[in-house]
Every structure is written in structure tokens, then in C-alpha cells.
Amino acid sequence: MARYLDVHPQNPQPRSISQVVAMLRDDAVIAYPTDSCYALGTRIENHSGADRIRQIRQLDDKHHFTLVCADFAQLGQLVVLDNSAFRAIKAATPGPYTFILPATPEVPRRLAHAKKRSVGVRITEHPVAQAILRELGEPLLSSTLLLPGSEWPMTEGWQIKEELDAVLDAVVDAGDCGTEPTTVVDWTEGAPEVVRVGAGDPDRF
């Protein structure tokens, strides 16, 4: 049964955030809000957590997770950035963008693209996600909360709790955070290529 935490969307209660982080450190899988819909998240080192997210979304082992970071310094430890990528990405973050970049050795091999050795990273602007990430002190392995057969991600915390009560450890409800996913920018070839238009303005790339 999933623990339900009703958290203020702009000023999240420190006690609630501490409870969520304690559960994550104990290998929980959570539903949490971002600036582009709700996401499923767990610690990078939690192998069983990654498998559980795949099962919830009915994804195969080729699915690429996104590593959600607290800040640019954390992001920079996970991916290789040239000067142009550094400047453009720094200017666009935090925000509703996912960037696919070459992975550093910090990224476990199982999480990187088998051939390209790339990984998706993002810095979310949502105050609740930011609070969780800052207290956790490490990125979250994440995937959009889009259930099999659904056209849109889930937007209501109570609905997530009702639907996924048996398969999640916690639901962090901070109200509706929209249904539009991130804009995805692939930078693996040395220049930006917008591969999905979402909540972030693609024109800046």
C-alpha cells in the first residue's frame, strides 16, 4: 500500500520531504510531480526499483530512463558537455527539457544507450521535486507516469494513489502539474536535434 503525502506545491513541508527521502534511501519507488507531469522515480542504484517502474509502465529493458538532477553541477557529472552544449543547456535549465548526451563513467552501463553510451538528463523546476532532489543529494532515475494504453499521463495524486496503490511505495501529491511531457533535445552528434516537442520552447535550439 502506497503512502500518500499531500505536499504544498510551492512551499513543500520539510517533514514530508524528509519522509519521502528516507523512503527513497530505503529503495522506494515513488510518484512525484515535475514541471511537466507526474513521474515515477527511484534511486539510480536501485536495480529492483528500475524493474518495478518498467513493470508498472509495461516497458522492455530497452526503455531509456531519464536522470533527473537538482542542478547543473549534478548534471555535469553525468554527461559530457562541449562549450556550445554547456552554454545552451545552462541557459535553458531548470525547465521542461530532457537532453540526450554522451554519458560519463559515473552513469551505470545498464542505464546508458547500448551503442551510443548516451543518457537522458534533466533539471526540473518544480519546487517539490527540487526539494526531494536537494535533500536526497543525488539524481533520481525517472520515467513519465504514463500507464499502458493511456494517451495522457496521470495528473491527480488521489487518482495515482487509487490506481497504483499496490505497486508504489509513496505518492507525493502537489496538485495538477499538467500532461505535457518535456521537450527532448538530442545532443549526441555534437549539435542539438529536437526529437520531441513538449512543454519547453523548441525554438531556442
Side-chain angles (χ1 to χ4, degrees), residues 78-140:
L78 301 171
V79 290
V80 179
L81 296 158
D82 63 21
N83 286 339
S84 64
F86 178 93
R87 285 194 299 272
I89 293 170
K90 193 155 177 50
T93 55
Y97 295 94
T98 298
F99 299 99
I100 302 170
L101 289 147
T104 67
E106 297 278 317
V107 176
R109 186 170 290 277
R110 64 191 165 83
L111 299 180
H113 188 284
K115 291 178 182 170
K116 292 184 176 179
R117 272 294 293 159
S118 58
V119 69
V121 288
R122 68 171 294 208
I123 303 172
T124 177
E125 206 169 14
H126 199 289
V128 174
Q130 274 287 335
I132 292 169
L133 288 160
R134 280 197 300 271
E135 184 154 339
L136 183 63
E138 61 182 274
L140 272 178

Side-chain angles (χ1 to χ4, degrees), residues 7-21:
V7 179
H8 192 282
Q10 298 300 323
N11 300 296
Q13 304 89 319
R15 185 164 176 270
S16 297
I17 297 301
S18 294
Q19 289 171 344
V20 174
V21 170

